[in-house]
Amino acid sequence: AKRAAARRAGPGELLSRLPVLRGFPVFREGYKEATDVTDDFLRWLDRHDPSTPFFAFLNYFNAHQAYRAPTPYRERFPGEAPQDKYDAAIAFQDDELDRLLGALAERGMLDRTVVVLTSDHGEAFGDHGTVGHGGTLFVEQLHVPLVVVAPGRAPEGLRVAAPVSLRDAGVTVLDLALDRVPPHGLAGRSLARAWRDSVPSADTLLAGAHEAVKDTAARHISAGNATAVVAGQWHYILTGDGQELLYDMVRDSLELEDLAGRDSLRPVLASMRAYLRARLDTAWTARLP
């Protein structure tokens, strides 16, 4: 609390922007600036034995609320709306990723390193009446980037249109790093099937959000756990209060028209309910019709 108060105070806010003071705990909020994430990793990499394989997880956090970016990026997106700040933070992180990949290339490592770029969630800016993340299971919060760079093991330029799950990320990294899927206890299947299989099988994707807040703005979870299923063109949501929502992601990518009330789609709803009952316990399915 004292750290937060120091940062919010007028002088503290100004001082926290000075690079020379940025490393002091009182001026930090439990996250590293994107430049620090890159710099610290590259320093570690230069001390690392190049003959030894490594795994690194870099968490770039500037595009998380409250969307922080240095002045040059804020000047490119000068508005004060949250989305302007978000766009500035995204641009900042994009440049840091470019610097990271360039540094790997300069060290002769990029062509023998598997790189996966992704995010844990999306962000809402008024979509479906919400702002931020964590309160709903609409597409703007579930749909995230997923870029895989694996020279010699993943085809360059391939774009996979079918939705996939980050549940498969761990085993995919193992597969691409070792060129095989070793025995393991990880959930999921390697996403390499998208280019290895002649006809890749479609996935049924499952998402969920625990009840965490009594906030009407977070309406999917304000009354209990919420779940979502993506199967083919359909995105089904069961909210914490038992409301069912259904969207056609092909014809309605922004999910503006709820189709759950259509008689012709009752079989789709029935299949979604059956899938949830087969996969989850009653803590998640108790409010199913």
Short mmCIF file of all heavy atoms in Angstrom, two decimals, residues 205-273:
data_model
loop_
_atom_site.label_atom_id
_atom_site.label_comp_id
_atom_site.label_asym_id
_atom_site.label_seq_id
_atom_site.Cartn_x
_atom_site.Cartn_y
_atom_site.Cartn_z
N LEU A 205 -12.91 -26.80 -28.13
CA LEU A 205 -12.14 -26.02 -27.17
C LEU A 205 -13.00 -25.67 -25.96
O LEU A 205 -14.19 -25.35 -26.10
CB LEU A 205 -11.61 -24.74 -27.82
CG LEU A 205 -10.91 -24.92 -29.17
CD1 LEU A 205 -10.44 -23.58 -29.68
CD2 LEU A 205 -9.74 -25.89 -29.04
N LEU A 206 -12.38 -25.70 -24.81
CA LEU A 206 -13.08 -25.44 -23.56
C LEU A 206 -12.40 -24.30 -22.81
O LEU A 206 -11.17 -24.24 -22.73
CB LEU A 206 -13.06 -26.71 -22.69
CG LEU A 206 -13.77 -26.67 -21.34
CD1 LEU A 206 -15.26 -26.47 -21.52
CD2 LEU A 206 -13.49 -27.98 -20.58
N ALA A 207 -13.21 -23.38 -22.29
CA ALA A 207 -12.68 -22.28 -21.48
C ALA A 207 -13.57 -22.10 -20.27
O ALA A 207 -14.74 -22.51 -20.27
CB ALA A 207 -12.64 -20.99 -22.30
N GLY A 208 -13.02 -21.49 -19.24
CA GLY A 208 -13.80 -21.26 -18.05
C GLY A 208 -13.29 -20.08 -17.26
O GLY A 208 -12.15 -19.66 -17.42
N ALA A 209 -14.16 -19.52 -16.45
CA ALA A 209 -13.79 -18.41 -15.57
C ALA A 209 -14.42 -18.65 -14.21
O ALA A 209 -15.64 -18.82 -14.10
CB ALA A 209 -14.25 -17.08 -16.16
N HIS A 210 -13.60 -18.66 -13.17
CA HIS A 210 -14.10 -18.86 -11.82
C HIS A 210 -14.84 -17.62 -11.34
O HIS A 210 -14.46 -16.48 -11.65
CB HIS A 210 -12.93 -19.12 -10.85
CG HIS A 210 -12.32 -20.47 -11.00
ND1 HIS A 210 -12.84 -21.57 -10.39
CD2 HIS A 210 -11.23 -20.90 -11.68
CE1 HIS A 210 -12.11 -22.64 -10.68
NE2 HIS A 210 -11.12 -22.25 -11.46
N GLU A 211 -15.87 -17.87 -10.55
CA GLU A 211 -16.51 -16.75 -9.87
C GLU A 211 -15.47 -16.06 -9.00
O GLU A 211 -14.81 -16.69 -8.19
CB GLU A 211 -17.66 -17.26 -9.00
CG GLU A 211 -18.35 -16.14 -8.22
CD GLU A 211 -19.40 -16.68 -7.26
OE1 GLU A 211 -19.43 -17.91 -7.05
OE2 GLU A 211 -20.16 -15.87 -6.72
N ALA A 212 -15.31 -14.77 -9.21
CA ALA A 212 -14.25 -14.08 -8.47
C ALA A 212 -14.72 -12.74 -7.90
O ALA A 212 -14.15 -12.26 -6.94
CB ALA A 212 -13.04 -13.84 -9.38
N VAL A 213 -15.72 -12.15 -8.50
CA VAL A 213 -16.14 -10.81 -8.08
C VAL A 213 -17.66 -10.73 -8.04
O VAL A 213 -18.34 -11.42 -8.79
CB VAL A 213 -15.59 -9.71 -9.03
CG1 VAL A 213 -14.09 -9.61 -8.94
CG2 VAL A 213 -16.03 -9.98 -10.46
N LYS A 214 -18.16 -9.91 -7.18
CA LYS A 214 -19.60 -9.61 -7.16
C LYS A 214 -19.78 -8.26 -7.85
O LYS A 214 -20.07 -7.24 -7.24
CB LYS A 214 -20.12 -9.56 -5.72
CG LYS A 214 -19.98 -10.89 -4.99
CD LYS A 214 -20.84 -11.98 -5.63
CE LYS A 214 -20.76 -13.27 -4.85
NZ LYS A 214 -21.55 -14.35 -5.45
N ASP A 215 -19.59 -8.28 -9.14
CA ASP A 215 -19.57 -7.05 -9.93
C ASP A 215 -20.45 -7.27 -11.15
O ASP A 215 -20.20 -8.16 -11.95
CB ASP A 215 -18.13 -6.74 -10.34
CG ASP A 215 -18.02 -5.47 -11.18
OD1 ASP A 215 -19.05 -4.87 -11.49
OD2 ASP A 215 -16.88 -5.09 -11.51
N THR A 216 -21.47 -6.47 -11.29
CA THR A 216 -22.39 -6.68 -12.41
C THR A 216 -21.72 -6.46 -13.76
O THR A 216 -22.17 -6.98 -14.77
CB THR A 216 -23.60 -5.74 -12.30
OG1 THR A 216 -23.14 -4.39 -12.19
CG2 THR A 216 -24.43 -6.08 -11.06
N ALA A 217 -20.62 -5.69 -13.78
CA ALA A 217 -19.91 -5.49 -15.05
C ALA A 217 -19.26 -6.79 -15.51
O ALA A 217 -19.11 -7.02 -16.71
CB ALA A 217 -18.86 -4.39 -14.90
N ALA A 218 -18.85 -7.63 -14.56
CA ALA A 218 -18.28 -8.94 -14.88
C ALA A 218 -19.41 -9.97 -14.85
O ALA A 218 -19.40 -10.92 -14.10
CB ALA A 218 -17.18 -9.30 -13.90
N ARG A 219 -20.39 -9.76 -15.71
CA ARG A 219 -21.67 -10.44 -15.52
C ARG A 219 -21.61 -11.94 -15.75
O ARG A 219 -22.46 -12.67 -15.24
CB ARG A 219 -22.74 -9.82 -16.43
CG ARG A 219 -22.43 -9.83 -17.92
CD ARG A 219 -23.55 -9.10 -18.65
NE ARG A 219 -23.40 -9.10 -20.09
CZ ARG A 219 -22.70 -8.21 -20.76
NH1 ARG A 219 -22.05 -7.27 -20.11
NH2 ARG A 219 -22.62 -8.25 -22.08
N HIS A 220 -20.65 -12.44 -16.51
CA HIS A 220 -20.60 -13.88 -16.72
C HIS A 220 -20.23 -14.63 -15.45
O HIS A 220 -20.62 -15.78 -15.27
CB HIS A 220 -19.59 -14.23 -17.83
CG HIS A 220 -20.11 -13.95 -19.19
ND1 HIS A 220 -19.40 -14.24 -20.33
CD2 HIS A 220 -21.28 -13.41 -19.63
CE1 HIS A 220 -20.10 -13.88 -21.40
NE2 HIS A 220 -21.24 -13.37 -20.98
N ILE A 221 -19.50 -14.01 -14.55
CA ILE A 221 -19.03 -14.72 -13.36
C ILE A 221 -19.51 -14.08 -12.07
O ILE A 221 -19.11 -14.50 -11.00
CB ILE A 221 -17.49 -14.80 -13.34
CG1 ILE A 221 -16.87 -13.40 -13.33
CG2 ILE A 221 -16.99 -15.62 -14.50
CD1 ILE A 221 -15.37 -13.41 -13.17
N SER A 222 -20.38 -13.08 -12.15
CA SER A 222 -20.82 -12.41 -10.92
C SER A 222 -21.73 -13.30 -10.08
O SER A 222 -21.90 -13.07 -8.89
CB SER A 222 -21.53 -11.09 -11.25
OG SER A 222 -22.66 -11.32 -12.08
N ALA A 223 -22.31 -14.34 -10.70
CA ALA A 223 -23.21 -15.23 -9.96
C ALA A 223 -22.68 -16.65 -9.85
O ALA A 223 -23.35 -17.53 -9.33
CB ALA A 223 -24.58 -15.25 -10.63
N GLY A 224 -21.47 -16.90 -10.34
CA GLY A 224 -20.92 -18.25 -10.28
C GLY A 224 -19.96 -18.52 -11.42
O GLY A 224 -19.69 -17.64 -12.24
N ASN A 225 -19.44 -19.74 -11.47
CA ASN A 225 -18.50 -20.11 -12.52
C ASN A 225 -19.16 -20.07 -13.89
O ASN A 225 -20.32 -20.43 -14.04
CB ASN A 225 -17.95 -21.52 -12.28
CG ASN A 225 -17.16 -21.62 -11.00
OD1 ASN A 225 -16.70 -20.63 -10.46
ND2 ASN A 225 -17.02 -22.84 -10.49
N ALA A 226 -18.40 -19.65 -14.89
CA ALA A 226 -18.89 -19.61 -16.27
C ALA A 226 -18.02 -20.50 -17.14
O ALA A 226 -16.82 -20.67 -16.88
CB ALA A 226 -18.87 -18.18 -16.80
N THR A 227 -18.59 -21.08 -18.18
CA THR A 227 -17.86 -21.94 -19.09
C THR A 227 -18.18 -21.56 -20.52
O THR A 227 -19.21 -20.93 -20.81
CB THR A 227 -18.22 -23.43 -18.88
OG1 THR A 227 -19.64 -23.59 -19.07
CG2 THR A 227 -17.85 -23.90 -17.50
N ALA A 228 -17.30 -21.95 -21.42
CA ALA A 228 -17.51 -21.71 -22.84
C ALA A 228 -16.97 -22.88 -23.64
O ALA A 228 -15.98 -23.51 -23.24
CB ALA A 228 -16.83 -20.42 -23.28
N VAL A 229 -17.62 -23.17 -24.76
CA VAL A 229 -17.19 -24.22 -25.67
C VAL A 229 -17.13 -23.63 -27.06
O VAL A 229 -18.05 -22.93 -27.49
CB VAL A 229 -18.15 -25.43 -25.66
CG1 VAL A 229 -17.68 -26.50 -26.64
CG2 VAL A 229 -18.29 -25.99 -24.26
N VAL A 230 -16.03 -23.89 -27.77
CA VAL A 230 -15.91 -23.54 -29.19
C VAL A 230 -15.81 -24.84 -29.96
O VAL A 230 -14.90 -25.64 -29.75
CB VAL A 230 -14.67 -22.66 -29.45
CG1 VAL A 230 -14.50 -22.43 -30.95
CG2 VAL A 230 -14.81 -21.32 -28.72
N ALA A 231 -16.78 -25.05 -30.86
CA ALA A 231 -16.81 -26.27 -31.67
C ALA A 231 -17.27 -25.89 -33.07
O ALA A 231 -18.40 -25.42 -33.25
CB ALA A 231 -17.75 -27.30 -31.07
N GLY A 232 -16.38 -26.08 -34.04
CA GLY A 232 -16.72 -25.68 -35.40
C GLY A 232 -16.97 -24.20 -35.47
O GLY A 232 -16.17 -23.39 -34.99
N GLN A 233 -18.10 -23.82 -36.03
CA GLN A 233 -18.43 -22.40 -36.16
C GLN A 233 -19.07 -21.82 -34.92
O GLN A 233 -19.28 -20.61 -34.83
CB GLN A 233 -19.38 -22.21 -37.35
CG GLN A 233 -20.82 -22.68 -37.09
CD GLN A 233 -21.61 -22.83 -38.34
OE1 GLN A 233 -21.52 -23.86 -39.03
NE2 GLN A 233 -22.40 -21.82 -38.68
N TRP A 234 -19.36 -22.67 -33.92
CA TRP A 234 -20.18 -22.24 -32.79
C TRP A 234 -19.35 -21.91 -31.55
O TRP A 234 -18.40 -22.61 -31.21
CB TRP A 234 -21.19 -23.33 -32.43
CG TRP A 234 -22.06 -23.73 -33.58
CD1 TRP A 234 -22.05 -24.92 -34.25
CD2 TRP A 234 -23.06 -22.92 -34.22
NE1 TRP A 234 -22.98 -24.90 -35.26
CE2 TRP A 234 -23.61 -23.68 -35.27
CE3 TRP A 234 -23.53 -21.62 -34.00
CZ2 TRP A 234 -24.62 -23.21 -36.10
CZ3 TRP A 234 -24.53 -21.14 -34.83
CH2 TRP A 234 -25.07 -21.92 -35.86
N HIS A 235 -19.76 -20.84 -30.89
CA HIS A 235 -19.20 -20.44 -29.60
C HIS A 235 -20.35 -20.39 -28.61
O HIS A 235 -21.25 -19.55 -28.72
CB HIS A 235 -18.51 -19.08 -29.71
CG HIS A 235 -17.92 -18.60 -28.42
ND1 HIS A 235 -17.52 -17.29 -28.25
CD2 HIS A 235 -17.67 -19.22 -27.24
CE1 HIS A 235 -17.04 -17.14 -27.02
NE2 HIS A 235 -17.13 -18.30 -26.39
N TYR A 236 -20.33 -21.31 -27.65
CA TYR A 236 -21.38 -21.44 -26.65
C TYR A 236 -20.86 -20.94 -25.32
O TYR A 236 -19.71 -21.23 -24.94
CB TYR A 236 -21.79 -22.91 -26.55
CG TYR A 236 -22.66 -23.26 -25.37
CD1 TYR A 236 -24.04 -23.18 -25.43
CD2 TYR A 236 -22.09 -23.71 -24.17
CE1 TYR A 236 -24.84 -23.52 -24.34
CE2 TYR A 236 -22.87 -24.06 -23.08
CZ TYR A 236 -24.24 -23.96 -23.17
OH TYR A 236 -25.02 -24.31 -22.09
N ILE A 237 -21.67 -20.19 -24.59
CA ILE A 237 -21.29 -19.69 -23.28
C ILE A 237 -22.41 -20.02 -22.29
O ILE A 237 -23.59 -19.79 -22.56
CB ILE A 237 -21.08 -18.15 -23.29
CG1 ILE A 237 -19.95 -17.78 -24.26
CG2 ILE A 237 -20.76 -17.64 -21.89
CD1 ILE A 237 -19.83 -16.28 -24.50
N LEU A 238 -22.03 -20.58 -21.15
CA LEU A 238 -22.94 -20.78 -20.02
C LEU A 238 -22.47 -19.86 -18.92
O LEU A 238 -21.38 -20.04 -18.35
CB LEU A 238 -22.92 -22.23 -19.54
CG LEU A 238 -23.77 -22.53 -18.31
CD1 LEU A 238 -25.26 -22.41 -18.61
CD2 LEU A 238 -23.44 -23.91 -17.75
N THR A 239 -23.25 -18.84 -18.59
CA THR A 239 -22.83 -17.86 -17.61
C THR A 239 -23.03 -18.40 -16.19
O THR A 239 -23.69 -19.42 -15.98
CB THR A 239 -23.61 -16.54 -17.77
OG1 THR A 239 -24.98 -16.76 -17.40
CG2 THR A 239 -23.54 -16.05 -19.20
N GLY A 240 -22.51 -17.67 -15.23
CA GLY A 240 -22.61 -18.11 -13.85
C GLY A 240 -24.02 -18.17 -13.32
O GLY A 240 -24.29 -18.88 -12.34
N ASP A 241 -24.95 -17.43 -13.93
CA ASP A 241 -26.33 -17.48 -13.47
C ASP A 241 -27.19 -18.38 -14.34
O ASP A 241 -28.43 -18.36 -14.24
CB ASP A 241 -26.94 -16.07 -13.42
CG ASP A 241 -26.95 -15.37 -14.77
OD1 ASP A 241 -26.52 -15.99 -15.77
OD2 ASP A 241 -27.38 -14.21 -14.83
N GLY A 242 -26.55 -19.20 -15.20
CA GLY A 242 -27.28 -20.19 -15.98
C GLY A 242 -27.80 -19.72 -17.31
O GLY A 242 -28.51 -20.45 -18.00
N GLN A 243 -27.43 -18.51 -17.75
CA GLN A 243 -27.87 -18.04 -19.07
C GLN A 243 -27.02 -18.71 -20.14
O GLN A 243 -25.80 -18.84 -20.01
CB GLN A 243 -27.71 -16.52 -19.17
CG GLN A 243 -28.17 -15.96 -20.51
CD GLN A 243 -27.91 -14.46 -20.64
OE1 GLN A 243 -27.24 -13.86 -19.79
NE2 GLN A 243 -28.44 -13.86 -21.68
N GLU A 244 -27.67 -19.13 -21.22
CA GLU A 244 -26.97 -19.72 -22.36
C GLU A 244 -26.89 -18.71 -23.49
O GLU A 244 -27.89 -18.05 -23.84
CB GLU A 244 -27.69 -20.97 -22.85
CG GLU A 244 -27.63 -22.14 -21.87
CD GLU A 244 -28.30 -23.37 -22.42
OE1 GLU A 244 -29.52 -23.32 -22.67
OE2 GLU A 244 -27.60 -24.39 -22.62
N LEU A 245 -25.71 -18.59 -24.08
CA LEU A 245 -25.48 -17.72 -25.23
C LEU A 245 -24.87 -18.56 -26.35
O LEU A 245 -24.09 -19.48 -26.08
CB LEU A 245 -24.53 -16.57 -24.87
CG LEU A 245 -24.88 -15.75 -23.62
CD1 LEU A 245 -23.75 -14.78 -23.30
CD2 LEU A 245 -26.18 -15.00 -23.81
N LEU A 246 -25.20 -18.23 -27.59
CA LEU A 246 -24.66 -18.99 -28.72
C LEU A 246 -24.38 -18.04 -29.87
O LEU A 246 -25.25 -17.26 -30.27
CB LEU A 246 -25.65 -20.07 -29.16
CG LEU A 246 -25.17 -21.00 -30.29
CD1 LEU A 246 -24.00 -21.88 -29.80
CD2 LEU A 246 -26.32 -21.87 -30.79
N TYR A 247 -23.16 -18.13 -30.41
CA TYR A 247 -22.76 -17.24 -31.50
C TYR A 247 -22.18 -18.05 -32.65
O TYR A 247 -21.50 -19.07 -32.45
CB TYR A 247 -21.72 -16.23 -31.00
CG TYR A 247 -22.24 -15.33 -29.92
CD1 TYR A 247 -22.04 -15.64 -28.57
CD2 TYR A 247 -22.98 -14.20 -30.23
CE1 TYR A 247 -22.56 -14.84 -27.57
CE2 TYR A 247 -23.50 -13.39 -29.23
CZ TYR A 247 -23.29 -13.71 -27.91
OH TYR A 247 -23.82 -12.91 -26.92
N ASP A 248 -22.44 -17.57 -33.85
CA ASP A 248 -21.87 -18.13 -35.07
C ASP A 248 -20.62 -17.32 -35.39
O ASP A 248 -20.71 -16.20 -35.88
CB ASP A 248 -22.89 -18.05 -36.20
CG ASP A 248 -22.41 -18.71 -37.49
OD1 ASP A 248 -21.18 -18.79 -37.69
OD2 ASP A 248 -23.26 -19.12 -38.29
N MET A 249 -19.45 -17.87 -35.11
CA MET A 249 -18.20 -17.12 -35.26
C MET A 249 -17.82 -16.87 -36.71
O MET A 249 -17.02 -15.99 -37.00
CB MET A 249 -17.06 -17.86 -34.56
CG MET A 249 -17.27 -18.03 -33.06
SD MET A 249 -15.81 -18.74 -32.27
CE MET A 249 -15.69 -20.29 -33.15
N VAL A 250 -18.40 -17.63 -37.63
CA VAL A 250 -18.09 -17.44 -39.04
C VAL A 250 -18.87 -16.25 -39.59
O VAL A 250 -18.31 -15.37 -40.25
CB VAL A 250 -18.41 -18.72 -39.84
CG1 VAL A 250 -18.23 -18.47 -41.34
CG2 VAL A 250 -17.52 -19.87 -39.37
N ARG A 251 -20.16 -16.21 -39.32
CA ARG A 251 -21.01 -15.14 -39.84
C ARG A 251 -21.06 -13.91 -38.95
O ARG A 251 -21.50 -12.84 -39.38
CB ARG A 251 -22.43 -15.67 -40.06
CG ARG A 251 -22.53 -16.75 -41.12
CD ARG A 251 -23.97 -17.20 -41.33
NE ARG A 251 -24.08 -18.16 -42.42
CZ ARG A 251 -23.93 -19.46 -42.29
NH1 ARG A 251 -23.64 -19.97 -41.11
NH2 ARG A 251 -24.05 -20.27 -43.32
N ASP A 252 -20.64 -14.05 -37.71
CA ASP A 252 -20.76 -12.97 -36.73
C ASP A 252 -19.50 -12.95 -35.87
O ASP A 252 -19.51 -13.34 -34.71
CB ASP A 252 -22.02 -13.21 -35.88
CG ASP A 252 -22.24 -12.16 -34.80
OD1 ASP A 252 -21.70 -11.04 -34.93
OD2 ASP A 252 -22.93 -12.47 -33.81
N SER A 253 -18.41 -12.49 -36.44
CA SER A 253 -17.11 -12.58 -35.76
C SER A 253 -17.03 -11.70 -34.52
O SER A 253 -16.21 -11.95 -33.63
CB SER A 253 -15.97 -12.21 -36.73
OG SER A 253 -16.13 -10.88 -37.20
N LEU A 254 -17.85 -10.67 -34.43
CA LEU A 254 -17.85 -9.80 -33.26
C LEU A 254 -18.85 -10.25 -32.20
O LEU A 254 -18.96 -9.62 -31.15
CB LEU A 254 -18.16 -8.35 -33.67
CG LEU A 254 -17.16 -7.69 -34.62
CD1 LEU A 254 -17.60 -6.27 -34.94
CD2 LEU A 254 -15.77 -7.69 -34.04
N GLU A 255 -19.56 -11.31 -32.48
CA GLU A 255 -20.53 -11.88 -31.54
C GLU A 255 -21.55 -10.85 -31.09
O GLU A 255 -21.72 -10.57 -29.90
CB GLU A 255 -19.80 -12.52 -30.35
CG GLU A 255 -18.88 -13.65 -30.80
CD GLU A 255 -18.23 -14.43 -29.67
OE1 GLU A 255 -18.23 -13.92 -28.53
OE2 GLU A 255 -17.73 -15.53 -29.94
N LEU A 256 -22.26 -10.33 -32.06
CA LEU A 256 -23.28 -9.31 -31.79
C LEU A 256 -24.69 -9.89 -31.72
O LEU A 256 -25.58 -9.25 -31.19
CB LEU A 256 -23.22 -8.23 -32.88
CG LEU A 256 -21.88 -7.50 -33.02
CD1 LEU A 256 -21.95 -6.48 -34.15
CD2 LEU A 256 -21.48 -6.83 -31.71
N GLU A 257 -24.90 -11.09 -32.27
CA GLU A 257 -26.24 -11.68 -32.31
C GLU A 257 -26.25 -13.02 -31.58
O GLU A 257 -25.66 -14.00 -32.02
CB GLU A 257 -26.69 -11.89 -33.76
CG GLU A 257 -28.11 -12.42 -33.86
CD GLU A 257 -28.56 -12.64 -35.29
OE1 GLU A 257 -27.71 -12.53 -36.21
OE2 GLU A 257 -29.75 -12.94 -35.49
N ASP A 258 -26.93 -13.04 -30.45
CA ASP A 258 -27.08 -14.28 -29.68
C ASP A 258 -28.16 -15.14 -30.33
O ASP A 258 -29.31 -14.72 -30.48
CB ASP A 258 -27.47 -13.93 -28.24
CG ASP A 258 -27.79 -15.14 -27.39
OD1 ASP A 258 -27.36 -16.26 -27.77
OD2 ASP A 258 -28.47 -14.96 -26.35
N LEU A 259 -27.79 -16.37 -30.69
CA LEU A 259 -28.69 -17.27 -31.40
C LEU A 259 -29.26 -18.37 -30.51
O LEU A 259 -29.92 -19.29 -31.01
CB LEU A 259 -27.94 -17.93 -32.58
CG LEU A 259 -27.28 -16.97 -33.58
CD1 LEU A 259 -26.49 -17.76 -34.61
CD2 LEU A 259 -28.32 -16.10 -34.25
N ALA A 260 -29.05 -18.29 -29.23
CA ALA A 260 -29.45 -19.38 -28.35
C ALA A 260 -30.96 -19.62 -28.34
O ALA A 260 -31.42 -20.72 -28.03
CB ALA A 260 -28.96 -19.11 -26.93
N GLY A 261 -31.75 -18.62 -28.68
CA GLY A 261 -33.20 -18.77 -28.64
C GLY A 261 -33.81 -19.36 -29.89
O GLY A 261 -35.04 -19.56 -29.94
N ARG A 262 -33.03 -19.67 -30.90
CA ARG A 262 -33.57 -20.18 -32.15
C ARG A 262 -33.90 -21.67 -32.03
O ARG A 262 -33.04 -22.48 -31.66
CB ARG A 262 -32.58 -19.97 -33.29
CG ARG A 262 -32.39 -18.50 -33.65
CD ARG A 262 -31.75 -18.35 -35.00
NE ARG A 262 -31.59 -16.95 -35.37
CZ ARG A 262 -31.09 -16.53 -36.53
NH1 ARG A 262 -30.67 -17.43 -37.42
NH2 ARG A 262 -30.98 -15.25 -36.79
N ASP A 263 -35.11 -22.01 -32.38
CA ASP A 263 -35.53 -23.41 -32.31
C ASP A 263 -34.67 -24.31 -33.17
O ASP A 263 -34.37 -25.45 -32.78
CB ASP A 263 -37.00 -23.55 -32.73
CG ASP A 263 -37.96 -22.94 -31.72
OD1 ASP A 263 -37.52 -22.72 -30.56
OD2 ASP A 263 -39.12 -22.70 -32.08
N SER A 264 -34.24 -23.82 -34.33
CA SER A 264 -33.46 -24.66 -35.25
C SER A 264 -32.10 -25.03 -34.70
O SER A 264 -31.45 -25.97 -35.19
CB SER A 264 -33.30 -23.94 -36.59
OG SER A 264 -32.58 -22.72 -36.41
N LEU A 265 -31.64 -24.30 -33.67
CA LEU A 265 -30.31 -24.55 -33.11
C LEU A 265 -30.36 -25.30 -31.78
O LEU A 265 -29.34 -25.42 -31.09
CB LEU A 265 -29.55 -23.23 -32.94
CG LEU A 265 -29.25 -22.49 -34.26
CD1 LEU A 265 -28.56 -21.17 -34.00
CD2 LEU A 265 -28.41 -23.36 -35.19
N ARG A 266 -31.51 -25.82 -31.42
CA ARG A 266 -31.60 -26.61 -30.19
C ARG A 266 -30.65 -27.81 -30.19
O ARG A 266 -30.06 -28.12 -29.15
CB ARG A 266 -33.05 -27.08 -29.98
CG ARG A 266 -33.99 -25.97 -29.54
CD ARG A 266 -35.39 -26.49 -29.31
NE ARG A 266 -36.30 -25.44 -28.87
CZ ARG A 266 -37.59 -25.62 -28.65
NH1 ARG A 266 -38.12 -26.83 -28.83
NH2 ARG A 266 -38.34 -24.61 -28.25
N PRO A 267 -30.46 -28.50 -31.33
CA PRO A 267 -29.48 -29.61 -31.33
C PRO A 267 -28.06 -29.14 -31.01
O PRO A 267 -27.30 -29.88 -30.38
CB PRO A 267 -29.59 -30.18 -32.74
CG PRO A 267 -30.96 -29.80 -33.21
CD PRO A 267 -31.22 -28.45 -32.61
N VAL A 268 -27.71 -27.93 -31.43
CA VAL A 268 -26.38 -27.40 -31.12
C VAL A 268 -26.25 -27.17 -29.62
O VAL A 268 -25.25 -27.55 -28.99
CB VAL A 268 -26.11 -26.09 -31.89
CG1 VAL A 268 -24.77 -25.50 -31.48
CG2 VAL A 268 -26.15 -26.34 -33.39
N LEU A 269 -27.28 -26.58 -29.02
CA LEU A 269 -27.26 -26.36 -27.57
C LEU A 269 -27.17 -27.69 -26.82
O LEU A 269 -26.42 -27.83 -25.85
CB LEU A 269 -28.50 -25.60 -27.13
CG LEU A 269 -28.64 -24.15 -27.60
CD1 LEU A 269 -29.94 -23.57 -27.08
CD2 LEU A 269 -27.46 -23.31 -27.14
N ALA A 270 -27.92 -28.68 -27.29
CA ALA A 270 -27.91 -29.98 -26.63
C ALA A 270 -26.53 -30.62 -26.68
O ALA A 270 -26.07 -31.22 -25.70
CB ALA A 270 -28.95 -30.90 -27.27
N SER A 271 -25.85 -30.48 -27.81
CA SER A 271 -24.51 -31.07 -27.93
C SER A 271 -23.51 -30.35 -27.04
O SER A 271 -22.62 -30.99 -26.46
CB SER A 271 -24.05 -31.03 -29.39
OG SER A 271 -23.82 -29.70 -29.82
N MET A 272 -23.66 -29.05 -26.88
CA MET A 272 -22.77 -28.29 -26.00
C MET A 272 -22.98 -28.70 -24.55
O MET A 272 -22.02 -28.89 -23.79
CB MET A 272 -23.01 -26.79 -26.17
CG MET A 272 -22.72 -26.25 -27.57
SD MET A 272 -20.97 -26.41 -28.03
CE MET A 272 -20.95 -25.47 -29.56
N ARG A 273 -24.23 -28.85 -24.15
CA ARG A 273 -24.52 -29.27 -22.78
C ARG A 273 -23.95 -30.65 -22.50
O ARG A 273 -23.36 -30.90 -21.44
CB ARG A 273 -26.03 -29.28 -22.56
CG ARG A 273 -26.69 -27.92 -22.64
CD ARG A 273 -28.20 -28.08 -22.71
NE ARG A 273 -28.89 -26.83 -22.99
CZ ARG A 273 -30.12 -26.75 -23.47
NH1 ARG A 273 -30.81 -27.86 -23.73
NH2 ARG A 273 -30.68 -25.58 -23.70
#
